[in-house]
Amino acid sequence: MSVDVKYTTKARATGGRDGAAETLDGSLKVKLAPPKEMGGSGDGNNPEQLFAAGYAACFLGAMKAVARGEGFPKVPNDATVTATVGIGPRSEGGFGITAALEISLPGVDKAEAEKLVEAAHQVCPYSNATRGNVDVGLTVA
């Protein structure tokens, strides 16, 4: 697979899941802590929260990009994407993640919304990165 890279960013983590992470340009800095459900303090953010926020934002952007094409409805200003990301042990060993996106497109016909969501799922970089590795559920609310 070839990618014509238009932008790169760098982030550094220290201390693992119980540490900190920041972008090298200084625009983002977060304290990391495992969630209580995994034996941590929950007193910070975790990689799954960061992944969920990134995926939701990226998918909404992909819908807007696709909607510029012919035959797709305009994405309303109050559209939302809610990403649910889970983590847990895999039966094969190690850990795995799950992902589900709930998409709200107020005022858009459900059939048209589903067509737009499916097209965005083919364009979104997060969807392309997870395809074949993570089952991603898509629900149009």
Side-chain angles (χ1 to χ4, degrees), residues 7-81:
Y7 169 78
T8 61
T9 187
K10 289 185 179 185
R12 178 175 295 128
T14 57
R17 287 182 161 271
D18 203 5
E22 63 185 304
T23 56
L24 298 189
D25 68 4
S27 65
L28 174 71
K29 185 172 185 172
V30 293
K31 176 183 175 188
L32 299 173
K36 291 179 181 179
E37 297 84 351
M38 295 182 69
S41 69
D43 189 27
N45 293 106
N46 61 66
E48 292 71 39
Q49 290 171 318
L50 300 173
F51 183 76
Y55 200 168
C58 191
F59 198 86
L60 187 50
M63 287 193 307
K64 288 180 177 184
V66 167
R68 291 186 203 112
E70 194 171 314
F72 291 103
K74 182 180 182 294
V75 175
N77 290 335
D78 55 351
T80 61
V81 176

Side-chain angles (χ1 to χ4, degrees), residues 55 58-59 61-68 72 116-129 131:
Y55 200 168
C58 191
F59 198 86
M63 287 193 307
K64 288 180 177 184
V66 167
R68 291 186 203 112
F72 291 103
L116 175 62
V117 165
E118 188 50 45
H121 191 46
Q122 300 308 310
V123 171
C124 176
Y126 279 67
S127 293
N128 287 330
R131 190 167 289 112

Side-chain angles (χ1 to χ4, degrees), residues 63 72-73 101-119 138-141:
M63 287 193 307
F72 291 103
L101 303 178
E102 182 179 320
I103 299 97
S104 174
L105 295 163
V108 177
D109 173 77
K110 186 160 182 162
E112 288 296 306
E114 288 173 345
K115 179 180 164 187
L116 175 62
V117 165
E118 188 50 45
L138 301 171
T139 303
V140 177

